[in-house]
Amino acid sequence: MTADKNSGYRKNFSLIITFLILISVFFVLSLFLAYNFSKKFIENEFVSEKVNVLEASITPYNEFFQNKLPEVSYYNGYLDSATTSRFVDTLLLQYPFVSRVVFYDTEVSTIPVRDGLNIGHFTMGPKYVYQFGSLVPMDSVKLFAKNDPSTAMRGDEFNTLGIKLINYIENLDTARAPTADELFSNFSVVRSNKITYLNIPRFEDLKVYKQMMQRKLSTSPVYQQDMLTFYLDPSKIKIINANPKLYQNIRIEPLTYDPLDTSSQFVTTEITLPGPFSDYKLYFISAQSFVDKAIFRYFLPIAIVLMVFYGVLVLVGFLIYRNLNINQKLYKLQYDFVNNLTHEFKTPVSVIKIAGNNIRSAAALTEREQKMYGRILDEEADKLNGLMNKLLAFTQIENKAIQLNQEKVNIVDFIESTIESHQLKHPDFHFTYEVSGFKNFTTDPVLLGSLFDNLAENAYKYSSPDQKYLHVSARHIKGKIVFRFTDKGIGIPAPEINNIFKKFYRVQNQYNQNGSVGLGLAFCKELITLMKGEISVKSKVNKGTEFKIILPYNE
């Protein structure tokens, strides 16, 4: 923290931590709200989805009521027991909830009847009454015969629908044809667990029926009518569970059914069956654990979306932290660069200024003093010039402003001249070299010289006084020139290997406290890239370092 303050850089990590805490709180709160929403939604679905189950389960009944019952009218009153038996057999197979059918083979005439309805000169009574069904005993198929005194007419359903028919005929508007809905509703009776239906006569016949109630007709017409009572068993309704992931068990119970177990371990709801089944209800029951699974299934996709969103925000926070960290390092590198560059410039400038002041203040200079001051001024000027040239060259390389000057180089002469120049500067610097596989190759000698000079300077600078040593090897291998620069210096720690080619980066050691800008190896890397080559390094601390450079071979 002190280093940050001293360098003038502030990371504001507290803002990142606050951001992460806020989004974490928001994430947890979102999960909580999402779960409550999922729970409420599933609870509402548990109550509302029962309508879909009801509709799916009573679809066969609706089809029977709307399509099968009207088929009775197609026979125009001329059904007989055999035809009705076949009709009922088909019906029982198709609609299992129909348990039995009572067939009233009925006549409408002007002749009074003993078992039936007599209104004015309108009479309606059964000739025969038959019962059909899979569980009906054979001896009870015929329940009543008009001419058989041994049979008795039990006509509750017959009388109910007959009275409804008489009321309708009495109020019939003969000037207007009734609608299909009017006829259907007046020629059927829906009661608990049964439906009674009378075939619908023609409108002209209904007019005659009304006349028969009002006066005696000159003729004595007889009309055939078929009345059927369908007895229904609600327990035979096939329950269609339209949502098996929500409803664990569905059954049909009487309206008065009251479960004994009403613990919180179960969730229940119910809905009344329609029409003739109105004394019964669909009863839905699921274990709480079963409903919890449905809640989790609904909640899981929402939670995944929230987690992805949270992950994106955390990633954003991480990237901000990473950028701040990188910016801090860059700032520190630049800060160190400015400090070191200032020091690099300040030292020779100070020496030049001191030498200049001495020359100016001296009354007379001996020949020895002139040579000394001349050498000092020359060396310090060379340092300044070299530093400026390196910075300029680095900038030109980065901006692709340098063009390669291809010249043929004798590698042995080139290496020996490099050795000589460095040994003049550093007499204690020991050089060895070897060349194999080639003598000459085409390259830019200036850039190659800069490369050799930088690596040689590093080998000398980062070695202990008794280990100032560098071995250079040059080999021609498979169309490439491979240079190896091996020293016996202090080495590079493994964690630093990946950073040494970065601009302004300096490995912290006893030889690098001052006097390094952090451009040497970065400059080498840019040079080699420009020359379409590669550079790598191997190093062991206190053992030495080897730089390997691969350049294309051009004769």
Side-chain angles (χ1 to χ4, degrees):
M1 193 67 179
T2 305
D4 293 345
K5 287 182 179 180
N6 292 339
S7 65
Y9 188 85
R10 188 179 175 190
K11 288 185 182 178
N12 281 333
F13 283 130
S14 59
L15 291 179
I16 301 173
I17 294 171
T18 303
F19 172 74
L20 292 176
I21 291 173
L22 285 176
I23 64 171
S24 299
V25 171
F26 173 77
F27 174 64
V28 173
L29 181 61
S30 298
L31 287 178
F32 175 76
L33 293 176
Y35 182 79
N36 283 344
F37 170 79
S38 301
K39 183 179 179 182
K40 196 68 178 176
F41 178 82
I42 294 299
E43 287 174 351
N44 291 337
E45 284 282 289
F46 191 88
V47 174
S48 61
E49 278 294 306
K50 62 187 178 184
V51 176
N52 295 330
V53 175
L54 176 65
E55 290 178 353
S57 300
I58 65 170
T59 295
Y61 164 75
N62 290 334
E63 181 187 339
F64 161 75
F65 188 79
Q66 295 171 9
N67 300 326
K68 203 66 179 179
L69 284 184
E71 286 185 15
V72 177
S73 295
Y74 299 161
Y75 294 95
N76 294 316
Y78 288 99
L79 274 174
D80 57 22
S81 60
T83 305
T84 303
S85 178
R86 290 193 295 271
F87 174 77
V88 171
D89 287 343
T90 303
L91 195 70
L92 294 177
L93 288 174
Q94 193 171 358
Y95 305 104
F97 54 83
V98 179
S99 59
R100 62 190 177 97
V101 178
V102 176
F103 167 53
Y104 300 89
D105 188 2
T106 307
E107 283 184 344
V108 174
S109 66
T110 58
I111 301 171
V113 293
R114 174 175 62 87
D115 294 295
L117 301 172
N118 298 280
I119 305 295
H121 297 282
F122 174 87
T123 64
M124 179 179 176
K127 294 184 296 180
Y128 300 98
V129 178
Y130 296 93
Q131 181 176 242
F132 303 96
S134 57
L135 301 178
V136 176
M138 291 301 296
D139 58 356
S140 65
V141 170
K142 182 187 287 186
L143 301 179
F144 173 79
K146 179 179 179 180
N147 299 321
D148 185 355
S150 64
T151 59
M153 169 64 181
R154 290 175 291 177
D156 291 342
E157 304 305 321
F158 180 87
N159 291 335
T160 300
L161 184 54
I163 293 170
K164 188 175 183 180
L165 174 64
I166 290 170
N167 290 333
Y168 172 69
I169 294 172
E170 285 180 340
N171 298 301
L172 179 65
D173 182 1
T174 56
R176 179 185 65 84
T179 64
D181 290 340
E182 289 177 345
L183 291 173
F184 191 82
S185 62
N186 283 283
F187 282 77
S188 62
V189 173
V190 178
R191 299 173 72 177
S192 178
N193 297 334
K194 52 192 169 185
I195 299 174
T196 303
Y197 182 81
L198 179 67
N199 74 283
I200 300 173
R202 297 175 305 160
F203 184 50
E204 296 300 322
D205 294 341
L206 290 174
K207 292 180 180 180
V208 175
Y209 289 175
K210 186 164 186 173
Q211 292 174 5
M212 292 166 65
M213 290 184 184
Q214 295 173 345
R215 66 181 185 274
K216 184 174 182 179
L217 303 181
S218 58
T219 58
S220 299
V222 177
Y223 296 91
Q224 300 297 320
Q225 293 285 154
D226 296 322
M227 182 184 294
L228 290 91
T229 298
F230 301 88
Y231 289 85
L232 310 178
D233 184 357
S235 64
K236 296 296 179 62
I237 294 176
K238 184 179 179 181
I239 298 172
I240 307 298
N241 190 349
N243 201 331
K245 293 182 179 180
L246 192 60
Y247 300 119
Q248 191 174 14
N249 182 266
I250 307 173
R251 58 179 186 262
I252 296 173
E253 300 288 353
L255 281 178
T256 56
Y257 173 75
D258 187 16
L260 296 177
D261 187 0
T262 57
S263 67
S264 58
Q265 296 179 354
F266 295 94
V267 182
T268 63
T269 187
E270 57 190 45
I271 187 170
T272 304
L273 292 169
F277 307 117
S278 57
D279 289 340
Y280 292 84
K281 63 185 177 183
L282 282 178
Y283 185 74
F284 302 79
I285 181 169
S286 297
Q288 184 62 57
S289 58
F290 189 81
V291 177
D292 289 342
K293 289 180 181 178
I295 294 172
F296 180 75
R297 280 193 296 269
Y298 188 83
F299 167 71
L300 185 60
I302 301 175
I304 291 174
V305 171
L306 290 174
M307 289 180 70
V308 169
F309 182 68
Y310 175 74
V312 169
L313 291 179
V314 170
L315 179 61
V316 169
F318 170 74
L319 292 177
I320 293 172
Y321 168 79
R322 179 173 171 270
N323 288 339
L324 285 175
N325 227 17
I326 292 173
N327 288 341
Q328 184 210 20
K329 290 179 180 178
L330 288 176
Y331 188 90
K332 190 173 185 301
L333 287 173
Q334 292 170 355
Y335 183 81
D336 290 344
F337 168 72
V338 172
N339 283 342
N340 293 327
L341 190 63
T342 301
H343 183 272
E344 286 288 296
F345 275 105
K346 188 175 180 180
T347 301
V349 167
S350 298
V351 173
I352 291 171
K353 188 173 181 180
I354 292 169
N357 288 335
N358 290 340
I359 293 172
R360 186 178 60 185
S361 61
L365 294 176
T366 63
E367 183 180 351
R368 178 176 173 280
E369 290 175 332
Q370 287 179 353
K371 289 182 179 179
M372 181 187 69
Y373 286 127
R375 180 176 56 79
I376 290 173
L377 291 173
D378 188 55
E379 287 179 354
E380 298 306 320
D382 285 342
K383 287 183 181 179
L384 287 174
N385 186 54
L387 185 57
M388 287 187 292
N389 286 339
K390 183 180 288 187
L391 288 172
L392 180 61
F394 197 99
T395 303
Q396 289 176 331
I397 290 172
E398 281 193 318
N399 295 326
K400 310 298 182 186
I402 289 182
Q403 297 295 326
L404 288 174
N405 297 315
Q406 301 287 359
E407 297 179 16
K408 183 168 286 189
V409 174
N410 182 291
I411 191 63
V412 173
D413 292 343
F414 183 86
I415 293 175
E416 286 182 348
S417 66
T418 302
I419 292 174
E420 287 175 4
S421 65
H422 281 278
Q423 283 183 333
L424 284 175
K425 290 166 59 177
H426 310 295
D428 58 339
F429 199 4
H430 301 288
F431 265 96
T432 58
Y433 74 92
E434 61 173 316
V435 176
S436 65
F438 75 109
K439 292 182 178 179
N440 303 308
F441 82 112
T442 302
T443 187
D444 188 316
V446 175
L447 297 185
L448 187 64
S450 297
L451 191 62
F452 272 56
D453 287 341
N454 272 280
L455 294 176
E457 284 294 334
N458 279 351
Y460 183 82
K461 181 178 179 180
Y462 297 108
S463 298
S464 58
D466 58 341
Q467 294 289 338
K468 304 292 186 181
Y469 170 84
L470 179 64
H471 176 75
V472 180
S473 71
R475 298 177 184 274
H476 177 213
I477 302 174
K478 296 180 180 180
K480 303 285 186 182
I481 300 298
V482 180
F483 294 100
R484 297 179 189 271
F485 296 79
T486 307
D487 63 39
K488 295 181 180 180
I490 61 173
I492 304 169
E496 306 282 0
I497 291 290
N498 294 327
N499 298 317
I500 60 174
F501 295 110
K502 294 178 181 178
K503 284 191 300 183
F504 312 130
Y505 188 85
R506 298 185 308 151
V507 178
Q508 298 300 319
N509 55 57
Q510 70 270 28
Y511 298 94
N512 211 7
Q513 297 305 313
N514 291 301
S516 175
V517 183
L519 284 178
L521 291 177
F523 181 65
C524 291
K525 174 72 173 177
E526 292 295 331
L527 279 177
I528 292 167
T529 301
L530 182 66
M531 298 167 73
K532 299 180 180 178
E534 300 174 11
I535 185 170
S536 60
V537 60
K538 293 190 298 183
S539 184
K540 290 184 179 180
V541 176
N542 297 323
K543 296 292 184 180
T545 302
E546 178 186 275
F547 285 92
K548 177 182 176 183
I549 297 172
I550 302 175
L551 295 177
Y553 175 68
N554 299 310
E555 292 186 9

